[in-house]
């Protein structure tokens, strides 16, 4: 049976919740990669909320590594920040080794 993109996302979310890797990945300047992604685009948290519908409190928690986004929020942030889902997972310090890169779906 061929794996689908949804299966990949479901497995990623299951892994994220069962993982103990919720420690914030920080750069030398003390900022998380998620925060850096936002700031590279010159966006404030209120602007991210406006574009994605994700509450500012949730964004703070995500950037501090206190929570992990649901799949819808992960996809919304990935689109806004123009980062792959794999890069977003890595930014949250989720081990993505062994997960193949995105490939086009063929019918």
């Amino acid at each position: 049976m061929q794996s689908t993109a949804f299966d990949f996302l479901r497995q990623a979310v299951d892994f994220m919740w069962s993982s103990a890797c919720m420690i914030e990945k920080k750069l030398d300047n003390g900022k998380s990669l998620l925060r850096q992604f936002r700031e590279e685009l010159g966006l404030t948290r209120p602007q991210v909320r406006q574009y994605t519908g994700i509450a500012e409190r949730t964004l703070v928690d995500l950037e501090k590594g206190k929570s992990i986004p649901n799949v819808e929020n992960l996809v919304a942030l990935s689109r806004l920040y123009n980062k792959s889902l794999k890069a977003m997972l890595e930014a949250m310090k989720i081990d993505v080794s062994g997960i193949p890169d995105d490939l086009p779906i063929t019918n």
Side-chain angles (χ1 to χ4, degrees):
M1 183 172 166
Q2 189 175 23
S3 182
T4 65
F6 180 78
D7 292 334
F8 165 76
L9 287 174
R10 182 76 255 156
Q11 290 170 353
V13 169
D14 289 344
F15 175 76
M16 289 187 312
W17 286 113
S18 65
S19 174
C21 295
M22 289 180 58
I23 300 169
E24 179 182 15
K25 186 173 185 177
K26 293 188 176 185
L27 303 173
D28 290 338
N29 61 8
K31 295 180 181 179
S32 71
L33 286 174
L34 288 179
R35 181 175 174 183
Q36 182 178 334
F37 292 164
R38 175 177 56 79
E39 290 179 347
E40 284 175 353
L41 296 173
L43 296 172
T44 63
R45 287 188 191 108
Q47 289 171 318
V48 173
R49 179 192 49 77
Q50 181 181 2
Y51 296 133
T52 64
I54 301 170
E56 289 178 53
R57 179 74 252 165
T58 301
L59 291 169
V60 169
D61 289 346
L62 294 174
E63 288 181 358
K64 290 187 175 196
K66 292 182 179 181
S67 67
I68 296 177
N70 63 32
V71 173
E72 289 177 356
N73 288 347
L74 180 65
V75 170
L77 290 171
S78 180
R79 283 186 182 130
L80 180 62
Y81 297 160
N82 196 30
K83 304 288 182 188
S84 71
L85 292 172
K86 197 170 180 179
M88 295 296 290
L89 293 171
E90 287 175 336
M92 292 179 285
K93 204 168 181 175
I94 303 297
D95 180 15
V96 295
S97 59
I99 296 176
D101 292 328
D102 294 338
L103 298 173
I105 297 174
T106 57
N107 292 328

